[in-house]
Amino acid sequence: VRVAVLGAGSWGTTVASLVCRTTGDVVIWARRPEVAEEITAQRSNDTYLPGLRLPRALKATADIEQAVSGVDVVIVGVPSQGFREALTHAAPLIRPWVPVVSLTKGFESETLRRMSQLIEELVPGHPAGALTGPNLAHEIMTGQAAAAVIAMGDDHVAIALQRLFQSGLFRVYTNDDVVGSEVGGALKNVVAIATGMAEGLEAGDNTRAMIITRGLAELTRLGVAMGGRAETFAGLAGMGDLVATCMSPFSRNRHVGEELGRGRKLDEILGEMKMVAEGVKTSSLVLDLARRYHVDLPICESIHSVVEGRSTPVDAYRGLLRRTPGHESQSD
Amino acid sequence: VRVAVLGAGSWGTTVASLVCRTTGDVVIWARRPEVAEEITAQRSNDTYLPGLRLPRALKATADIEQAVSGVDVVIVGVPSQGFREALTHAAPLIRPWVPVVSLTKGFESETLRRMSQLIEELVPGHPAGALTGPNLAHEIMTGQAAAAVIAMGDDHVAIALQRLFQSGLFRVYTNDDVVGSEVGGALKNVVAIATGMAEGLEAGDNTRAMIITRGLAELTRLGVAMGGRAETFAGLAGMGDLVATCMSPFSRNRHVGEELGRGRKLDEILGEMKMVAEGVKTSSLVLDLARRYHVDLPICESIHSVVEGRSTPVDAYRGLLRRTPGHESQSD
């Protein structure tokens, strides 16, 4: 099996390295030639995975035609706002029947589409899906146990891909709820900003657990309205991913929240980061989705107003606590 | 409104202190006279809440008749294995119609009954319920924001009690799924031992998130088989409590797991603790429940075999990872 991974960020490179264990033939497409060169020649990717050694079999190129032509599986790990462009270039090069799997957690700004919807639009007729779950790149690269979900409508393809992705302590479950799996992965980044913000304000573990739980309830309401299943949000792609992101000191979105909570400005925080914090963009898109699907999302609204600079973290936090709680499953 | 709290442990004392804010008339029953004396005379409970100041209005007694006679609400916070005895003494003293609320997360060993079932058995005809959720006593005493659930079959009583418990940054939701709320609170202690054990073995955040998520899936399967609703397990009494317990350095059950993971013996660990780690007892009872309700609980089984000394944490951990993952919502 030959595999192409589009995108040489930390997660794209990690998944490419994982897949190298089950098939020796993996090539990464990097937008920047110097990154492709570094991966192939030095077996490292110091911008995104500093200090880690990549597998010998892993190749990289900045030429998308060379990367995609003739492969049996295409994996796309470029950020949500560059996803369409990269896949548009790759699409004519992809052979018939080849499944296309997204690693990206977010929505396209203009269309509010999920990444697998972009796959269906740009590579119609191909099995489209997403690999998602509580996966911190650095831990997986260093061999820690982890679990992920391969979300695909077609069970046969999902089971074949499960075998491709799974090895060692990296366990892969299948889930045919593609909508729920993708929405869970995208929206958890907004809740991660919220818990980070609570931490920046020096809140305790109770408070963080409350935000995580009420945040997940929000995501589930929206996700179910969009066509996902509630149980998916209680699984690895929802709760699992959310918990890992909120616990990990490595999460970019949590980091953004923490710095906002300490009173710093968004531009300043983002200016210091090498990687994209998808949650910042998603916090605005999620409110468009909430309006479209008529769902009330108080936590996401508060985060958005802080991100936009319209309120301070302390105000946002107080506002949330002012709401009167009612029955747990119906209210905020 | 006059309120009695049975049990002067850390959580009983904390809830009594919280209720003092909304009603001035709260008395704690402490089994040991010296604890009652300390609470009343020195406004402290240094065994269970070291270094914290209790409200001036809070009274305590070791005389159960004096504590319970004439009160309007009875709250029971004694450990699960002493619950029946304490409530048996109190029962004849409780006035008609008075609601009885459990704070205790566990099952009675011999009968496998939930605490609110013991209330229904021993004080029949009284509204019975439970206060549960992600509530670390120390954080609530120091005024951190937190949320809890008052679980009662009767909505009117639940709303009245919501007003009694709620104040400041302590928010209380109602939930009429008493079974789910109690089962969630009891079983999360077993998963807390599991994540603690992973931490003792130096696993990463991915691994812990995976155990929390798959652990919650186990609890949900059992809880639903017992008559609870799946959504309750995704809420404060299930996921919320589990996440807080697994994140907090103060959790006793997580602490037990961590020390087991480091290779220490259970007796030794428990011998050093002042308070009851309910999860140790629950890890055995939960398997009786699993047999009764025909549910497979691989994580709970592994924890139990380590607790019993039949396997090492490393073996248990490897065993878990050997299981073949299938569709996320159906398998282990």
Side-chain angles (χ1 to χ4, degrees):
Chain A
V1 186
R2 296 182 59 192
V3 178
V5 177
L6 309 186
S10 60
W11 187 226
T13 308
T14 300
V15 171
S17 303
L18 272 175
V19 171
C20 265
R21 294 194 206 151
T22 53
T23 175
D25 200 352
V26 183
V27 60
I28 296 186
W29 171 74
R31 196 172 39 81
R32 291 189 289 147
E34 62 272 26
V35 173
E37 173 66 22
E38 188 198 345
I39 293 173
T40 308
Q42 294 169 44
R43 283 153 56 201
S44 69
N45 182 350
D46 272 345
T47 315
Y48 298 114
L49 291 171
L52 295 177
R53 191 95 172 152
L54 305 178
R56 197 182 296 264
L58 187 61
K59 291 177 292 287
T61 172
D63 177 345
I64 203 162
E65 185 165 350
Q66 199 184 322
V68 173
S69 300
V71 302
D72 306 298
V73 176
V74 175
I75 299 168
V76 191
V78 299
S80 56
Q81 306 316 314
F83 199 98
R84 176 182 290 274
E85 195 195 336
L87 194 55
T88 301
H89 287 141
L93 307 164
I94 302 174
R95 287 209 294 216
W97 318 112
V98 165
V100 182
V101 178
S102 159
L103 303 179
T104 304
K105 294 168 180 178
F107 302 96
E108 189 180 42
S109 294
E110 299 73 25
T111 62
L112 297 179
R113 286 197 187 130
R114 293 174 282 107
M115 298 302 113
S116 77
Q117 288 179 302
L118 293 188
I119 297 172
E120 280 163 0
E121 181 195 330
L122 300 168
V123 211
H126 288 249
L131 182 75
T132 183
N135 303 136
L136 299 155
H138 193 274
E139 287 190 4
I140 290 170
M141 283 301 287
T142 55
Q144 297 276 12
V149 167
I150 175 82
M152 293 216 113
D154 184 322
D155 243 22
H156 286 91
V157 179
I159 289 166
L161 291 175
Q162 184 182 33
R163 275 184 229 118
L164 180 69
F165 288 117
Q166 175 156 309
S167 67
L169 298 180
F170 188 70
R171 294 157 65 74
V172 180
Y173 292 82
T174 59
N175 190 331
D176 56 358
D177 179 13
V178 181
V179 179
S181 299
E182 279 190 294
V183 172
L187 299 193
K188 62 95 198 188
N189 285 327
V190 185
V191 182
I193 295 179
T195 47
M197 212 180 274
E199 201 154 6
L201 291 165
E202 300 187 342
D205 293 322
N206 281 335
T207 314
R208 283 161 62 209
M210 171 177 73
I211 294 175
I212 292 175
T213 308
R214 301 304 303 167
L216 185 68
E218 282 193 23
L219 307 197
T220 307
R221 278 204 300 274
L222 177 58
V224 168
M226 290 174 73
R229 287 198 304 261
E231 70 199 66
T232 299
F233 290 85
L236 293 164
M239 170 183 165
D241 198 0
L242 180 58
V243 167
T245 304
C246 294
M247 289 197 306
S248 166
F250 298 111
S251 159
R252 305 166 218 171
N253 294 290
R254 178 169 172 273
H255 170 78
V256 169
E258 214 173 322
E259 296 295 306
L260 285 170
R262 297 213 172 95
R264 296 187 58 204
K265 296 271 161 269
L266 184 69
D267 292 349
E268 212 178 292
I269 303 164
L270 296 181
E272 291 168 3
M273 294 172 69
K274 281 183 201 162
M275 297 186 251
V276 178
E278 288 276 7
V280 174
K281 186 82 205 169
T282 308
S283 76
S284 128
L285 303 181
V286 73
L287 296 183
D288 295 334
L289 288 166
R291 269 185 295 275
R292 183 185 289 186
Y293 290 96
H294 309 290
V295 176
D296 186 29
L297 305 178
I299 295 178
C300 294
E301 267 170 37
S302 305
I303 295 309
H304 184 58
S305 78
V306 176
V307 163
E308 296 267 280
R310 284 184 284 108
S311 68
T312 68
V314 176
D315 287 339
Y317 193 52
R318 278 213 204 95
L320 281 180
L321 296 172
R322 255 198 305 270
R323 296 203 168 220
T324 315
H327 191 286
E328 199 191 5
S329 65
Q330 282 143 34
S331 69
D332 329 299
Chain B
V1 187
R2 296 180 60 192
V3 177
V5 177
L6 308 186
S10 61
W11 187 225
T13 307
T14 299
V15 171
S17 304
L18 272 175
V19 172
C20 265
R21 295 193 204 152
T22 54
T23 174
D25 201 351
V26 182
V27 60
I28 295 186
W29 170 74
R31 197 171 39 80
R32 291 188 291 147
E34 62 273 24
V35 173
E37 174 66 22
E38 187 199 346
I39 294 173
T40 308
Q42 294 168 45
R43 285 153 55 200
S44 69
N45 182 349
D46 272 344
T47 315
Y48 298 114
L49 291 171
L52 294 176
R53 192 94 173 151
L54 305 178
R56 197 183 296 266
L58 187 60
K59 292 178 293 287
T61 174
D63 177 345
I64 203 162
E65 186 166 348
Q66 199 183 322
V68 173
S69 301
V71 300
D72 306 299
V73 176
V74 175
I75 299 168
V76 191
V78 298
S80 57
Q81 306 316 315
F83 199 98
R84 176 183 290 275
E85 194 194 338
L87 194 54
T88 302
H89 287 140
L93 307 163
I94 303 174
R95 288 209 295 213
W97 318 114
V98 164
V100 182
V101 178
S102 158
L103 303 178
T104 304
K105 294 168 179 177
F107 302 96
E108 190 181 40
S109 294
E110 297 75 24
T111 62
L112 297 179
R113 284 195 189 131
R114 293 174 282 108
M115 297 302 114
S116 78
Q117 288 179 303
L118 293 188
I119 297 171
E120 281 163 358
E121 179 194 331
L122 299 168
V123 212
H126 287 249
L131 182 74
T132 184
N135 302 139
L136 299 156
H138 193 273
E139 288 190 4
I140 290 170
M141 284 301 287
T142 55
Q144 297 276 13
V149 167
I150 175 79
M152 293 216 113
D154 184 322
D155 242 23
H156 286 91
V157 179
I159 289 166
L161 290 175
Q162 185 182 32
R163 277 187 227 114
L164 179 70
F165 288 117
Q166 176 155 308
S167 67
L169 297 181
F170 188 71
R171 296 157 64 74
V172 181
Y173 293 82
T174 60
N175 190 332
D176 57 358
D177 178 13
V178 181
V179 178
S181 299
E182 279 189 296
V183 172
L187 299 195
K188 62 96 199 188
N189 285 327
V190 185
V191 182
I193 296 179
T195 47
M197 212 179 275
E199 200 154 4
L201 290 166
E202 301 188 340
D205 293 322
N206 280 335
T207 314
R208 284 160 62 208
M210 170 177 71
I211 294 175
I212 291 175
T213 307
R214 299 305 302 167
L216 185 67
E218 282 193 24
L219 307 196
T220 307
R221 277 203 299 273
L222 178 58
V224 168
M226 290 174 73
R229 286 199 304 262
E231 69 199 65
T232 299
F233 290 86
L236 293 163
M239 170 184 165
D241 198 359
L242 180 58
V243 168
T245 303
C246 295
M247 289 197 306
S248 167
F250 297 111
S251 160
R252 304 165 219 171
N253 294 290
R254 178 170 172 274
H255 171 77
V256 170
E258 213 172 323
E259 296 296 308
L260 284 170
R262 295 213 174 94
R264 295 187 59 203
K265 295 269 161 271
L266 184 68
D267 292 349
E268 211 179 289
I269 303 164
L270 296 182
E272 291 168 2
M273 293 173 70
K274 282 181 201 163
M275 298 186 250
V276 178
E278 288 275 7
V280 174
K281 187 83 204 166
T282 307
S283 76
S284 128
L285 302 182
V286 73
L287 296 184
D288 295 335
L289 288 166
R291 270 185 295 274
R292 183 186 287 186
Y293 291 96
H294 309 289
V295 175
D296 186 30
L297 305 179
I299 295 178
C300 294
E301 266 169 38
S302 306
I303 295 309
H304 183 59
S305 79
V306 176
V307 162
E308 296 267 281
R310 283 185 284 107
S311 68
T312 68
V314 176
D315 287 339
Y317 193 53
R318 277 212 206 96
L320 281 180
L321 295 172
R322 255 198 306 269
R323 295 203 169 221
T324 314
H327 190 283
E328 199 191 4
S329 65
Q330 283 143 32
S331 69
D332 326 301

